[in-house]
C-alpha cells in the first residue's frame, strides 16, 4: 500500500510538471508563472546528445563531404595553403621532418665530398700518428672540411652550416670549390625552408577564424511580429572590445528544390533580404544587435508556419558575418546556421542592454533568452490575405530599457571653514 501510494503521488507530480519538446518545463500551464514571462533555456545548458537530429547541417555546420576527388595533385600546386589547412599534428610533423631531412641530405653530401677528397683516410692516419700534423703540417694535406672523421661529424657540420651555429671546430677550406658551392646551396635551401615553415606556423596561429570565436550568434532564431509583419530574427554580438571594421551580414536559405523540368537541386541557395537597426547589410557591433528579415511575398519563408518547424523539415538558414579585424587588418568570417527545429515561433529576444549612470551595460547571460509574445499561428501569406487575424491578437507589452542608478559617495567635500 505504501509503494502504491508513493507511485500515485509521483505520477501526479509528473502530470503537474510537463516538458516541452526542447526539454523546458511548461510551468505556465499550471498557473505558476504567466506564459508571457517564461524564458527559453539557453542552448548551452542543453547537452548536444539530447537533441535529436534527423540530418546534419549542410551550410554553416559544414555537413558537406567531398568524395572521389581524382585530381589530388591540384592540392600540391598550392603547397603553402595545403600546409596551413593541415591539422596541427601533421603540420608539426612536416615542420620537424623538413629540417631533419635537409640536415641528413646535406650531411650525406658533406660525407661524400670528404670521402672523395680523401679527408676520411687522412683523419684516420692522423688519429694513428698525431705527429703527422693537420692542415698545413708536415704532410702538406689540406682537407675540404676540417675535423670530418665520419658521417656523424659530417651530419653535425651540416646542422652548423644550416642553422649558422658555428662552434669553430669544423670549417670549409679553399681546397675544394665543390665544397664552397654546397655551402652556398645549403644556406639558400635553409633560408627557404625557414621562410616556408615559419610562415606556415604564423598563418596557422593568426588565422581569421580565431577572431570569429568571439563573434557569437544566438543559439535559436525566432519568428514573431514586428511592425505588424512576421519577421525572422536572430541576435549577433561581439565579445571583444576591438571593433570589426566594415562588418556586413547576409543570410541564405538552403533547401532542396526541383525545377519545372524535373531537375532536382539538393542544395539550392536563396539569398534573403535582411534588415538591421543600421540599415542595409552593414552593421556596427558596438553592442549586440537583433538582425531581422521581413517575411513578405518575396521571401522564401512566405509559406512557413509553426507546423513546418520540426526536425523533419528540409530547411536550413545560413548566416554569414564578414569584416576586417581592427588590430590585424585580416578579413574574418563567422558562420552559423539554423535548422527548422531551431527556429522558435511566437517568441522574441529579451532586452540585455541596461543604462547605468549614463553608460550602457550588456548582460550576456541573457544573450539567447527569449520570451513568448502573441503571434498568429499562420503563414505570412495567410496573414497578408486576411488582416482580420491581427484584430484578434492581444497586444504585447512594449520592451523598455532598464535604468539602474547607483549612488556614489563623494570622495571629497568643499567647506568654507579654514583648516
Amino acid at each position: 500500500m505504501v509503494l502504491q501510494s508513493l507511485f500515485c503521488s509521483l505520477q501526479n507530480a509528473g502530470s503537474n510538471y510537463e516538458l516541452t519538446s526542447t526539454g523546458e518545463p511548461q510551468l505556465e500551464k499550471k498557473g505558476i508563472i504567466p506564459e508571457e514571462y517564461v524564458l527559453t533555456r539557453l542552448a548551452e545548458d542543453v547537452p548536444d546528445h539530447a537533441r535529436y537530429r534527423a540530418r546534419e547541417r549542410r551550410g554553416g555546420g559544414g555537413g558537406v563531404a567531398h568524395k572521389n576527388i581524382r585530381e589530388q595533385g591540384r592540392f600540391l600546386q598550392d603547397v603553402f595553403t595545403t600546409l596551413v589547412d593541415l591539422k596541427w599534428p601533421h603540420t608539426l610533423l612536416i615542420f620537424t621532418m623538413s629540417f631533419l631531412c635537409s640536415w641528413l641530405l646535406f650531411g650525406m653530401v658533406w660525407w661524400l665530398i670528404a670521402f672523395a677528397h680523401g679527408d676520411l683516410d687522412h683523419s684516420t692516419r692522423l688519429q694513428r700518428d698525431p705527429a703527422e700534423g693537420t692542415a698545413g703540417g708536415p704532410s702538406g694535406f689540406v682537407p675540404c672540411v676540417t675535423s670530418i672523421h665520419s658521417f656523424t661529424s659530417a651530419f653535425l657540420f651540416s646542422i652548423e652550416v644550416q642553422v649558422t651555429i658555428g662552434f669553430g671546430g669544423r670549417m670549409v677550406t679553399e681546397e675544394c670549390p665543390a665544397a664552397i658551392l654546397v655551402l652556398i646551396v645549403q644556406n639558400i635551401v635553409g633560408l627557404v625552408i625557414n621562410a616556408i615553415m615559419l610562415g606556415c606556423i604564423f598563418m596557422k596561429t593568426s588565422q581569421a577564424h580565431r577572431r570569429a570565436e568571439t563573434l557569437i550568434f544566438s543559439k535559436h532564431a525566432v519568428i514573431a511580429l514586428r511592425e505588424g509583419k512576421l519577421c525572422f530574427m536572430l541576435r549577433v554580438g561581439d565579445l571583444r572590445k576591438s571593433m570589426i571594421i566594415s562588418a556586413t551580414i547576409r543570410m541564405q536559405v538552403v533547401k532542396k528544390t526541383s525545377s519545372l523540368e524535373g531537375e532536382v537541386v539538393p542544395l539550392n541557395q536563396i539569398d534573403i533580404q535582411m534588415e538591421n537597426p543600421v540599415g542595409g547589410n552593414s552593421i556596427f557591433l558596438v553592442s549586440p544587435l537583433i538582425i531581422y528579415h521581413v517575411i513578405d511575398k518575396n521571401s522564401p519563408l512566405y509559406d512557413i508556419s509553426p507546423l513546418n518547424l520540426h526536425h523533419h523539415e528540409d530547411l536550413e538558414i545560413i548566416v554569414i558575418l564578414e569584416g576586417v579585424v581592427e588590430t590585424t587588418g585580416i578579413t574574418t568570417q563567422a558562420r552559423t546556421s539554423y535548422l527548422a527545429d531551431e527556429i522558435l515561433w511566437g517568441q522574441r529576444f529579451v532586452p540585455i542592454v541596461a543604462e547605468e549612470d549614463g553608460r550602457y551595460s550588456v548582460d550576456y547571460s541573457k544573450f539567447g533568452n527569449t520570451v513568448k509574445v502573441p503571434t498568429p499561428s499562420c503563414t505570412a501569406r495567410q496573414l497578408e490575405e486576411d488582416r482580420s487575424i491581427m484584430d484578434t491578437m492581444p497586444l504585447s507589452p512594449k520592451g523598455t530599457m532598464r535604468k539602474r542608478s547607483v549612488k556614489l559617495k563623494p570622495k571629497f567635500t568643499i567647506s568654507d571653514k579654514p583648516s
Side-chain angles (χ1 to χ4, degrees):
M1 294 296 291
V2 176
L3 294 176
Q4 185 176 2
S5 60
L6 179 60
F7 176 76
C8 293
S9 61
L10 290 175
Q11 190 175 13
N12 294 332
S15 63
N16 293 331
Y17 190 78
E18 300 178 359
L19 294 178
T20 63
S21 60
T22 58
E24 298 169 1
Q26 290 183 336
L27 300 178
E28 74 279 4
K29 288 188 176 182
K30 302 303 176 182
I32 300 177
I33 298 178
E35 182 179 2
E36 61 269 17
Y37 294 103
V38 176
L39 301 178
T40 60
R41 182 180 298 176
L42 286 173
E44 289 85 350
D45 299 335
V46 181
D48 293 335
H49 59 79
R51 306 175 65 193
Y52 174 75
R53 283 287 176 270
R55 55 183 175 84
E56 296 292 336
R57 299 180 187 272
R58 297 165 297 183
V64 178
H66 300 276
K67 298 181 179 180
N68 300 327
I69 301 177
R70 298 180 180 179
E71 298 182 4
Q72 298 288 345
R74 292 182 177 269
F75 295 98
L76 298 179
Q77 295 178 3
D78 188 5
V79 180
F80 186 78
T81 304
T82 303
L83 292 176
V84 174
D85 290 339
L86 291 176
K87 296 182 179 180
W88 270 109
H90 299 160
T91 302
L92 294 178
L93 177 62
I94 294 176
F95 180 86
T96 304
M97 293 303 299
S98 61
F99 285 102
L100 286 178
C101 292
S102 64
W103 295 339
L104 287 172
L105 176 63
F106 283 99
M108 179 63 69
V109 173
W110 290 117
W111 182 83
L112 290 175
I113 291 176
F115 177 78
H117 191 257
D119 296 352
L120 301 180
D121 297 335
H122 176 72
S123 299
T124 303
R125 293 194 304 269
L126 189 63
Q127 290 176 358
R128 293 177 181 177
D129 187 9
E132 189 174 350
T134 57
S139 63
F141 181 80
V142 179
C144 292
V145 182
T146 60
S147 303
I148 297 294
H149 310 294
S150 61
F151 177 76
T152 303
S153 58
F155 177 71
L156 292 176
F157 179 71
S158 175
I159 297 177
E160 295 177 15
V161 170
Q162 189 161 329
V163 299
T164 64
I165 295 177
F167 291 115
R170 302 176 183 88
M171 57 177 293
V172 179
T173 63
E174 301 176 357
E175 182 69 18
C176 301
I180 300 175
L181 179 62
V182 172
L183 178 67
I184 296 174
V185 172
Q186 184 173 4
N187 277 281
I188 295 175
V189 171
L191 290 176
V192 173
I193 295 177
N194 287 336
I196 295 177
M197 291 293 102
L198 295 181
C200 177
I201 297 297
F202 173 76
M203 290 301 297
K204 286 188 69 67
T205 55
S206 61
Q207 281 184 347
H209 66 82
R210 304 297 180 185
R211 178 61 176 87
E213 296 294 333
T214 53
L215 297 174
I216 57 176
F217 301 86
S218 56
K219 293 296 181 179
H220 291 86
V222 298
I223 294 180
L225 289 174
R226 174 173 283 192
E227 302 297 337
K229 296 181 180 180
L230 286 176
C231 296
F232 174 86
M233 292 175 282
L234 61 100
R235 177 174 276 167
V236 60
D238 187 5
L239 299 179
R240 289 187 181 273
K241 292 183 178 180
S242 58
M243 301 297 298
I244 297 294
I245 304 173
S246 302
T248 58
I249 191 167
R250 55 191 177 93
M251 287 195 300
Q252 288 183 341
V253 174
V254 179
K255 60 187 305 184
K256 181 187 293 185
T257 59
S258 59
S259 62
L260 297 176
E261 294 77 14
E263 180 186 3
V264 178
V265 183
L267 297 177
N268 188 23
Q269 302 178 13
I270 306 173
D271 290 331
I272 57 179
Q273 184 64 30
M274 287 201 341
E275 303 290 341
N276 60 74
V278 180
N281 291 336
S282 299
I283 59 176
F284 184 53
L285 277 179
V286 66
S287 65
L289 298 177
I290 296 178
I291 311 298
Y292 68 96
H293 159 67
V294 178
I295 305 177
D296 53 14
K297 61 181 180 180
N298 298 322
S299 172
L301 307 178
Y302 195 47
D303 295 318
I304 293 294
S305 67
L307 300 178
N308 303 115
L309 301 182
H310 52 79
H311 57 265
H312 293 293
E313 181 68 19
D314 185 20
L315 175 68
E316 183 176 3
I317 300 177
I318 302 174
V319 184
I320 303 173
L321 173 62
E322 295 178 333
V324 179
V325 183
E326 182 182 20
T327 54
T328 61
I330 300 176
T331 302
T332 185
Q333 183 183 96
R335 298 186 303 270
T336 189
S337 65
Y338 298 98
L339 300 178
D341 57 340
E342 294 175 331
I343 303 174
L344 306 179
W345 189 280
Q347 300 195 30
R348 71 181 178 192
F349 294 102
V350 299
I352 61 175
V353 179
E355 185 178 357
E356 297 180 356
D357 296 330
R359 300 183 63 183
Y360 297 101
S361 63
V362 181
D363 185 5
Y364 280 98
S365 64
K366 300 179 181 179
F367 183 83
N369 285 19
T370 60
V371 60
K372 290 185 177 181
V373 292
T375 306
S377 300
C378 62
T379 64
R381 180 190 297 273
Q382 296 172 348
L383 182 62
E384 185 176 352
E385 293 175 354
D386 187 8
R387 298 299 298 179
S388 61
I389 301 177
M390 294 294 300
D391 299 335
T392 60
M393 298 299 301
L395 296 177
S396 59
K398 295 183 178 180
T400 58
M401 182 175 294
R402 298 171 296 166
K403 293 185 178 181
R404 299 176 182 174
S405 59
V406 180
K407 295 183 179 180
L408 301 176
K409 295 182 180 181
K411 298 182 179 179
F412 60 91
T413 56
I414 300 177
S415 176
D416 295 335
K417 297 181 180 180
S419 57

